[in-house]
Amino acid sequence: MPAAARLGISVTEALMEIAERAKQISPSLTLEITARAKKMKADGMRVVSFAAGEPDFTTPEYIMEGGRKALEMGLTKYTPAAGTVELRKAICQKLKNDNALDYDKANIVVSNGAKHSLFNAFMAILNPGDEVIIPSPYWLSYPEIVKMAGGVPVFVQTKAENSFKLMPSELDGAVTKKTKALILNNPNNPTGAVYTRSELNALGAAIEKYEIFVISDEIYEKLTYERRHHSIAAYSDILKERTIVINGMSKTYAMTGWRIGYAAADEQIASAMSSMQSHSTSNANSIAQYASFVALSDKLHGDAFLEDMRATFDARRALMMLRLHRLGLEYIEPKGAFYIMASVKKFIGKSIEGQRITSAYDFSSALLEQVQVATIPCESFGAPEYIRLSYAASEIDIERGLDAMASFLSQLH
């Protein structure tokens, strides 16, 4: 008798049982709140969204023209799995100019967005049970990608007084015999923290004591305020060999939908990542690759766009901090990216319209329902008493949204 029949279920039901790796994946509160906000907009409600994880800028015209040119040139065929030679060379030049990192095209793998690059990196280095240190707060996809690759996320709680940046002593206390890698997100999502050169040097010295990889997610590197971005891979030749630098076009050039990310790594690791990608997605979109080559190659137009976007975000950052201060909300001053993480701890236990606030999720949910302002609860980011607000929104929307939040807070009791 078939096993399914002995258990009293049909063969079809037995076959439909999903894999354990899929069961381990946690649902995204970010997507849930965003979906609810979109539905409210579709129903005709006026919603102010501070939930955006992408720049509210249109891809620059010179890049779009590059995409159109690629179509006219018939560049619609397969490319090498790791990306076109031209784009990988342009990435090498960018890493040398901006980050003082020397790579050859064999060290570069172009993928379908930085998230795909992260997935490839973990698939290439992790064996079942390997531990990956993730400083908390963290981008919510990190632990899920680690689990999909067979790894074990190990969370290290950082401190607000250090702007939630990982300290060498905190790393020392987390490393075990099973540790395979550390994730370093600089600038950070959701906190906006940016490591100084001295902080990275101290962390680099601590990392070098251990035989572990560093996954350095630098996707927000061009969006920094008051201080420059530095890559941990530039600390030493030893650390560069162990570091997989993750970056992409999405945040820097407002190209989120083009889906181009890339990794720079030791040639053996890059080769493994490219090989696995060749059997999964194959190459990234050929048109988007050519447009990305244009984006990186035309420094004149690129630098002008980047400075305009950075200055705009900086002004919005100042406005949002001012308004949050007036509301009496505690927050971590962001030095990069386009997010502010604000504490809602003092509102836990209060109520509005009969709805009791017991968590940051409850706070965000009530805020959306009562005054149509969308924020992201940070439970899934490892910061259960905080919400994340994106200032990838116009100054008018920032003012209107925080006016509505002020009204909401005044009704809590």
Side-chain angles (χ1 to χ4, degrees), residues 152-191:
V152 179
V154 175
F155 303 107
V156 176
Q157 184 60 56
T158 57
K159 297 179 174 63
E161 56 263 36
N162 297 324
S163 297
F164 290 117
K165 288 182 278 191
L166 180 68
M167 297 292 106
S169 59
E170 293 167 338
L171 173 68
D172 290 335
V175 175
T176 72
K177 292 180 180 180
K178 294 183 178 181
T179 303
K180 191 64 170 288
L182 159 72
I183 298 178
L184 191 66
N185 183 202
N186 178 36
N188 182 271
N189 172 15
T191 67

Side-chain angles (χ1 to χ4, degrees), residues 74-133:
L75 301 179
T76 58
K77 305 297 184 182
Y78 291 129
T79 76
T84 65
V85 171
E86 293 79 11
L87 177 54
R88 284 183 286 153
K89 285 184 175 179
I91 291 169
C92 288
Q93 192 62 50
K94 176 259 177 250
L95 290 166
K96 184 173 185 178
N97 293 343
D98 296 350
N99 310 105
L101 294 171
D102 285 312
Y103 289 105
D104 183 79
K105 65 181 185 297
N107 300 111
I108 309 299
V109 181
V110 178
S111 301
N112 300 285
K115 187 181 292 188
H116 187 203
S117 297
L118 285 164
F119 182 81
N120 286 341
F122 286 120
M123 289 294 289
I125 67 171
L126 294 183
N127 289 311
D130 284 345
E131 294 178 350
V132 178
I133 294 172

